Each structure stands twice: as structure tokens, then as C-alpha cells.
Amino acid sequence: MAMTRVTPTPPTVAVFDVNETLSDLSGLVPRLEEVGAGPEILPAWFAATLRDGFAITAAGGLADFASIGVPMLASMLNEGSLRGSALESAEHVVGAMADLDLHPDVAPGLRALVEAGVRVVTLSNGAARVAESLLERAGLRDLVEQCLSVADAGRWKPAREAYTYAARRCAADCGELALIAVHPWDIDGARRAGLRTGWVSRAAGAYPPFFLAPEATGRDLPELVATLTRGGQ
Amino acid sequence: MAMTRVTPTPPTVAVFDVNETLSDLSGLVPRLEEVGAGPEILPAWFAATLRDGFAITAAGGLADFASIGVPMLASMLNEGSLRGSALESAEHVVGAMADLDLHPDVAPGLRALVEAGVRVVTLSNGAARVAESLLERAGLRDLVEQCLSVADAGRWKPAREAYTYAARRCAADCGELALIAVHPWDIDGARRAGLRTGWVSRAAGAYPPFFLAPEATGRDLPELVATLTRGGQ
């Protein structure tokens, strides 16, 4: 008797995280060097910015990504080695987040999704114009239906309201959406809100055991898209 | 005409954060050295543990502090330089959080509060037994009425429910409580929940502009207690 192969239904809409999932933050290093700082500050800065943004979210508030990221970076820069003031230097670096390159697997992954008939949107804890700018620079803006920001949801990811806002803007149910991200906290939050999930692991280590696990994982975006849409592994 | 000096009313209950506010995390460094790791990992580990705990809180979930902190530290340790497995090494380090010393300003600060007639409790995102152990080792357990954990509130600080839980356990209104912490995210959350707040700045830099500001600040706990209870500055 032949086995029945159950092919997963593709999601209706792929909802992309932006910073680090689409964009390569290592592109901030030249700006850090321009202001007189080293690259080792980057992961600590991004983690601390998310920590404080999530704290405000957990406490019921809402803050703008740059309004946390800029003073956070300024507080971490060593005044003595800077060419300008810490705040000006931090603005110069964080302002480059809209001018970063996309990871090389993003373009083929987005094309594979669109060819499979999946709608594509972005949902960022940063400003919508950052995602617009990144996609335009890469010549991929026409593949993406909408660039959404949690600022209009009133709550940052991973609060449930951020994901349900995206579903509403896509005129779809949460279960028709697949959140695609490199950040396990985003996968966890999307699952709790009832979305499907895909984790791009790239060079990351094991998925943390304390977060809800993704439905599909790929080392790069084309591999993940194959798993999510055509039952590939 | 003589000026009327308005003396602030002391809070009924001082609610203390535990990790870093009472305890000195640098006491984990010898354990890190025992397992073959360096001290530079400590601030990054603590920030990442809070980031992911806050993410789960913002998403509506609840996780145990150690269940995040141990695998997080394990993922940051360099397997090649360790004496045992990464997980065993991380458990050895995180397990020492109940055996740390208190900062030297804690004992005089707690005594000043009790002498001023202020009740003292602790409220930690970690386990209640960690605070019990720290206070007992320092011979200060009798100054503290209760050691509370957010595990029993169902939500981590800085979610509102964590602070209202403390008020309920103290049979007091939120406005009679003063949250005392070194972490600005804790001050911000407590203010949003309607508590009074005191920030121990110790060696920290400026208070972040994106968080609600504390009612009182002290470089050490006795200075803060004077401001909160007797109108000192």
C-alpha cells in the first residue's frame, strides 16, 4: 500500500521580521569605525535595545525603536575615543540601519515565495520606512505587498497585538500567516498569537529550549521556503 | 513669611529588586573561572537572559529565570575551553546566584528603612529562595518581612501584574509601595503600575531618557533611603 504523502499547505502570507532577518547588521561596522568605536559593541547594543523595548512592552507601554537604540548606543560609546559627541555619533550609526545590505539568501527566498503564490509583507519593531528603504536599495520592493511597523499596532513584537495587527492589515486570519525570523523570541511570540512560523537559523546555534519551537527551520531562506511551501526538509 | 517645608511621606513598604540591586553579580566570576570562562561574558549573559524573559512576558507567557539563564549561558560558553559540558558548567555558575555577597550599602540601607518604620519585602524575577539565601548569609533575613517571586504572580516584572501581586501580598495599595532597584526598566514598570520608585544609581551612568524617571535617586542605598523617607536630597 502506497504511503500518502501529506504536503503542508503553503501559508497565505509570509510576514518577515526586518532587522537581522532581512538586513545584515554588520554593515553598521564601517559607521562605528567612522565615529571611532569598535565592532564588538554591536551584539551587546542590539540585545540591550531589545531588552529595554521588550520591558516597556511588557509594562504596557510603547517606545520608538530609535528613541531607545540611539541613547542606548550613546551610553555604550567611550566618550574619550569619539570624534564627536556620543549622541551625534550614535545617531550617525543607528541612522545607517536603513542603508544596510540584505543577506544574500533574501532575494532568492522572496522570489521563491512569490512564485509559490505566497503574499509577502514585513513587520518590524523599527520604522516602516527602514524596511521600505532596504528593499528599494536591493531592487526587491515590488515583491513585497506592505511594510508594516508595530508603531501602528501600539505594541512591539512579541506582544500578541503586533501579530494580530499584521493579520488585520492583510485581511487574513492569524493561522494563514507565517512569521519568518532569525530571532527565536519572534517565533515564540508569533506561535502564541496563533501564526505559523519559520526560523532562518543561518549561523545560529541550537534553538533555545525555553521558547516555543518553529514549525519549519532552514539554514537559509530558500531552504526554509521549500519546507514551508512544498514539504521539503 | 516662612516657607513651609513639605516633607515626603515615607512609603509603607519598600519592595526590593534582588539580582544586582541587593546582590553583587561579580561574585559569579570565580565560578566562571572554575569552569574555564572569562568575566567579560557576565553583562552580555544577564542582558540576554532578561531580553528573552521579557519577550516571553510581553508575549503573555511565563518562564522560570534559571530555565532561561542556564541554557543561555551554556550557549555563550566556548565548548573548547571548558572543563565539563556547557550545560553542567552553566548550572555550576548560575547555581551560585544564591551564594553571592550583598553590596556593602545594603545592610545600612535596610536598617535605616526599618528604623524609619518602613516594612521591607523583596520581589524577584528569580526564585524566592535565592533572596532568602542571600539575606540569611548576610545575617539580614530578620529585617525583611517576605521574599516574593514573580513566579507566584504569573508574570515577570516589569508587567503590571507582578507589582500588583506584591501589593496584594503586603495588604497595601500600590501607591503605598516604593520599588527600589538599580534597573531602570524596573523603575519604569513600577511607575506604570502606580508604585513610588527609588533608583540606586551606584556606578551607573545617566538614567535612560526612554524610561519613566524615578521619584528619588541615591548613589547608594542609605542616600536613597534618606531621600525617600526624610526629604533629604
Side-chain angles (χ1 to χ4, degrees), chain A residues 76-114:
Chain A
M76 297 169 88
L77 293 172
N78 184 347
E79 291 268 8
S81 63
L82 297 179
R83 305 216 172 89
S85 80
L87 205 59
E88 286 164 350
S89 300
E91 278 166 358
H92 182 67
V93 175
V94 177
M97 288 187 76
D99 301 321
L100 296 172
D101 290 328
L102 303 185
H103 289 286
D105 59 318
V106 169
L110 290 185
R111 289 201 185 96
L113 278 166
V114 172

Side-chain angles (χ1 to χ4, degrees), chain A residues 47 50-52 54-59 61 67-68 71-72 155 158-159 185 188-189 192 209-211, chain B residues 47 50-52 54-59 61 67-68 71-72 155 158-159 185 188-189 192 209-211:
Chain A
L50 292 181
R51 177 198 60 202
D52 286 357
F54 293 169
I56 290 173
T57 305
S67 78
I68 300 178
M72 178 66 72
R155 310 265 296 163
W185 55 261
D188 177 275
R192 289 180 198 268
F210 45 83
F211 282 133
Chain B
L50 292 181
R51 177 197 60 202
D52 286 357
F54 293 169
I56 290 174
T57 304
S67 78
I68 299 178
M72 178 66 74
R155 309 266 297 164
W185 54 261
D188 177 275
R192 289 180 198 268
F210 46 82
F211 282 134

